[in-house]
Amino acid sequence: DGGITQSPKYLFRKEGQNVTLSCEQNLNHDAMYWYRQDPGQGLRLIYYSQIVNDFQKGDIAEGYSVSREKKESFPLTVTSAQKNPTAFYLCASSILNPGEQFFGPGTRLTVL
Amino acid sequence: GQQVMQIPQYQHVQEGEDFTTYCNSSTTLSNIQWYKQRPGGHPVFLIQLVKSGEVKKQKRLTFQFGEAKKNSSLHITATQTTDVGTYFCGWGETSGSRLTFGEGTQLTVNP
């Protein structure tokens, strides 16, 4: 089955802790993206990557970091510098940028 | 700077009524995409429009891109309860650029 996987579905962390969200795709897509969605809100771009070992900041990159060491993987770290980290995090990928984006199921992060 | 508004924010309809959501830009767009997100789910791609005046249909859904490439609409004919969800437009300002998403239109359908 081809697709994008994100794990875990729900994640709880204490304030002040860094946390890494996983995103893996087996679609052979070059471009990958991380979005944040707050209740009743649209999708805001955190980071995106068009090729391995390269990535660009989106609109709300502060307090987040990413890496793209492999084509299939684009992990997102939510650092303690992110002031309001509780949100729904969506990973997506596409063949082209921009092209049809395929989204993973998302991770709901709650920071207590 | 670039300003794109998606309206309305919410729409409640009776089953069988039509529904339309709009994305309106102050400047010319390179392309626009539409996505649907069911409650509790993730966005799913519906369509991409790139040409001026383009109209595409998918069963009861009609998508339009304005002649000036500043406006786009998604129209659903005779809504069904399965149409419930939030519809997002995402636009590219230039060819090859990332997408920016609107805030979405949340559709509820009363049976």
Side-chain angles (χ1 to χ4, degrees):
Chain A
D1 252 356
I4 301 185
T5 56
Q6 291 185 245
S7 60
K9 189 171 183 178
Y10 298 95
L11 190 54
F12 297 88
R13 279 293 182 269
K14 290 184 179 179
E15 194 172 340
Q17 290 181 335
N18 290 357
V19 60
T20 297
L21 310 186
S22 165
C23 178
E24 303 279 331
Q25 55 99 359
N26 61 5
L27 300 168
N28 200 32
H29 287 171
D30 286 311
M32 296 188 74
Y33 315 82
W34 273 106
Y35 294 94
R36 169 181 173 141
Q37 187 174 38
D38 293 287
Q41 299 291 310
L43 306 169
R44 292 187 290 169
L45 184 64
I46 305 172
Y47 269 98
Y48 64 107
S49 167
Q50 299 185 67
I51 197 168
V52 173
N53 292 323
D54 188 42
F55 47 83
Q56 289 79 40
K57 292 182 179 180
D59 301 317
I60 55 166
E62 186 176 349
Y64 299 97
S65 66
V66 293
S67 63
R68 186 86 187 276
E69 296 176 3
K70 298 186 299 182
K71 189 175 185 178
E72 302 79 22
S73 179
F74 192 38
L76 173 75
T77 297
V78 184
T79 75
S80 57
Q82 168 50 232
K83 297 194 187 322
N84 296 297
T86 295
F88 186 42
Y89 290 88
L90 286 157
C91 179
S93 71
S94 67
I95 296 175
L96 305 169
N97 182 24
E100 173 184 349
Q101 293 192 14
F102 292 79
F103 284 81
T107 293
R108 291 193 184 276
L109 173 64
T110 302
V111 175
L112 307 170
Chain B
Q2 177 77 46
Q3 286 193 357
V4 180
M5 294 290 295
Q6 186 172 359
I7 55 172
Q9 191 174 0
Y10 303 96
Q11 186 77 61
H12 310 281
V13 300
Q14 288 295 128
E15 189 172 19
E17 291 181 340
D18 293 355
F19 159 77
T20 306
T21 174
Y22 303 88
C23 274
N24 300 317
S25 172
S26 58
T27 60
T28 302
L29 305 173
S30 172
N31 59 82
I32 198 157
Q33 298 181 10
W34 286 94
Y35 290 77
K36 176 184 178 181
Q37 184 176 22
R38 293 181 186 272
H42 59 274
V44 174
F45 175 83
L46 295 175
I47 206 87
Q48 175 167 282
L49 306 170
V50 296
K51 296 178 183 176
S52 169
E54 192 167 13
V55 178
K56 289 189 176 180
K57 294 191 175 185
Q58 291 178 351
K59 297 184 180 178
R60 294 178 297 105
L61 278 59
T62 302
F63 305 86
Q64 295 189 12
F65 203 8
E67 292 290 342
K69 298 182 74 173
K70 290 184 178 181
N71 311 91
S72 182
S73 64
L74 184 172
H75 179 82
I76 302 179
T77 303
T79 55
Q80 300 175 358
T81 55
T82 52
D83 296 324
V84 165
T86 301
Y87 293 84
F88 293 98
C89 64
W91 60 90
E93 297 178 20
T94 59
S95 179
S97 67
R98 39 65 64 96
L99 287 182
T100 302
F101 284 90
E103 295 200 353
T105 297
Q106 188 175 323
L107 172 66
T108 55
V109 180
N110 296 323

